[in-house]
Structure formats: structure tokens, C-alpha cells
């Protein structure tokens, strides 16, 4: 039981992803998350306003099942399969960098100082959660996919646009980490 409560080694997750990507292709879908936003908008009736959202829902079922499974599985793992006092292991450099921004609580799966409802009501919380969420969603749709779709499926099938998108995702992450986060946290 202890082995299921601890993080699995990277090679277990890597093998599982390596099996999942061709399985999704075999089912006629691709491994990715952000494309399901189109599916959800289409299911909610966005097709009445834009042709982009008119599609055969049957073709998108494997991808929607994947996303639902990821959410349900993540919830089960977080609520029932995580040791009570589990702390995510991050590097000492990351701890020092976050501490310099005033983030000092590292218990649980994410810094509680950032991921809570009261932080969302602050200017920093609005910028990070709402502004960041909008930019991630817009960027993923503008790039034709998110990091999982481009960096795992696209790169493994040697697609040049996915290489460009992945490089862009990393550059964006570096800009956010080294330029925007210090500005947002006033450092």
C-alpha cells in the first residue's frame, strides 16, 4: 500500500504515457487536453454562432473520455491515494527562488499561499489565476494545442509546428518565471 501512496518513478509514468499516446491514435484521437475546449463549446451550442464548433461529437469521444478520466483520476489520487503529510519534492533552488518571492509554505501538492480562494481575491491572485488562465487558454488554442498535445504527441510524430510551439511554451515559461513573477510579487 505504501508504494501507491508515494510518487511513482518517472519511468513508470513515461511508460504509461508511451502506451497512451499510440492507444489514443488507434482510437482515432490525439493525446491532448486543450482541444476538448472546442468539444465542450460545441456541446454547449456554440455551433449556432460559429461553424468552427460544428462537428461530429462521436469523433471526439475518446479525447473527452481521456479528460474526464484525468480529472477523476487526479481527484482520486489527490484525495485518497496521497499520504496525509505528503510534500512535493522540489529542488532547493526552486525553494530559494519561491522564498525570495514571499512564498514560504510548501506543504501538500501546491503552495497553499497561492492556491486558495482568499488569494484569488487579491490583485496578484487575479493576475496569476485569471490573467494567467486566459493567456494559457488563448495561447493553447492559438498554437493549435497545449503542451501535452504538441510536446508529447506532436513531437513524437516529428511535427515541425509542434517543435516550434514547444520552444515557445518553454520561452514563455522562462519569461513568466524570471520576469513576470518578480514583477507580480513586487520583488
Amino acid at each position: 500500500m505504501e508504494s501507491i501512496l508515494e510518487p511513482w518513478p518517472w519511468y513508470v509514468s513515461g511508460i504509461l504515457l508511451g502506451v497512451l499516446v499510440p492507444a489514443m491514435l488507434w482510437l482515432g484521437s490525439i493525446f491532448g487536453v486543450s482541444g476538448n475546449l472546442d468539444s465542450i463549446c460545441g456541446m454547449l451550442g456554440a455551433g449556432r454562432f460559429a461553424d468552427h464548433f460544428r462537428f461530429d461529437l462521436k469523433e471526439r469521444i475518446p479525447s473527452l473520455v481521456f479528460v474526464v478520466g484525468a480529472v477523476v483520476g487526479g481527484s482520486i489520487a489527490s484525495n485518497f491515494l496521497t499520504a496525509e503529510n505528503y510534500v512535493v519534492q522540489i529542488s532547493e533552488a526552486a525553494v530559494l527562488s519561491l522564498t525570495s518571492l514571499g512564498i514560504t509554505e510548501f506543504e501538500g501538492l501546491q503552495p497553499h499561499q497561492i492556491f486558495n480562494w482568499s488569494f484569488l481575491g487579491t490583485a496578484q491572485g487575479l493576475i496569476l489565476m485569471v490573467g494567467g488562465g486566459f493567456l494559457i487558454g488563448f495561447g493553447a488554442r492559438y498554437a493549435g494545442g497545449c503542451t501535452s498535445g504538441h510536446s508529447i504527441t506532436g513531437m513524437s510524430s516529428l511535427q515541425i509546428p509542434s517543435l516550434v510551439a514547444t520552444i515557445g511554451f518553454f520561452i514563455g515559461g522562462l519569461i513568466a518565471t524570471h520576469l513576470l513573477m518578480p514583477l507580480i510579487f513586487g520583488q
Side-chain angles (χ1 to χ4, degrees):
M1 187 65 184
E2 282 298 317
S3 64
I4 202 164
L5 297 177
E6 296 293 324
W8 293 352
W10 61 268
Y11 50 83
V12 172
S13 302
I15 290 172
L16 291 175
L17 283 174
V19 170
L20 185 59
V21 170
M24 294 287 291
L25 289 172
W26 181 71
L27 290 171
S29 185
I30 60 167
F31 177 86
V33 175
S34 63
N36 288 293
L37 181 59
D38 284 348
S39 301
I40 293 169
C41 289
M43 291 167 47
L44 295 175
R48 289 177 288 172
F49 308 105
D51 291 339
H52 175 76
F53 297 107
R54 292 186 188 148
F55 48 79
D56 184 7
L57 183 61
K58 289 179 185 174
E59 297 173 359
R60 297 178 179 230
I61 287 176
S63 189
L64 286 166
V65 169
F66 165 72
V67 169
V68 170
V71 170
V72 171
S75 178
I76 290 170
S78 176
N79 292 306
F80 304 111
L81 300 175
T82 302
E84 189 172 317
N85 296 323
Y86 178 74
V87 177
V88 172
Q89 301 297 314
I90 58 176
S91 71
E92 190 62 33
V95 170
L96 290 173
S97 178
L98 291 170
T99 302
S100 73
L101 298 174
I103 301 167
T104 57
E105 298 175 11
F106 299 104
E107 297 82 23
L109 297 175
Q110 68 278 332
H112 183 70
Q113 287 171 280
I114 296 176
F115 294 97
N116 65 68
W117 288 109
S118 62
F119 183 73
L120 182 59
T122 66
Q124 294 168 327
L126 284 173
I127 291 170
L128 284 175
M129 301 298 179
V130 178
F134 173 79
L135 289 174
I136 288 173
F138 177 80
R141 296 315 313 145
Y142 189 69
C146 60
T147 51
S148 59
H150 277 298
S151 302
I152 297 174
T153 302
M155 294 279 286
S156 65
S157 58
L158 305 176
Q159 295 181 29
I160 297 298
S162 292
L163 174 64
V164 173
T166 300
I167 291 170
F169 295 144
F170 276 96
I171 290 171
L174 291 170
I175 290 171
T177 300
H178 297 289
L179 298 177
L180 297 179
M181 290 288 282
L183 287 174
I184 293 170
F185 284 95
Q187 301 297 316

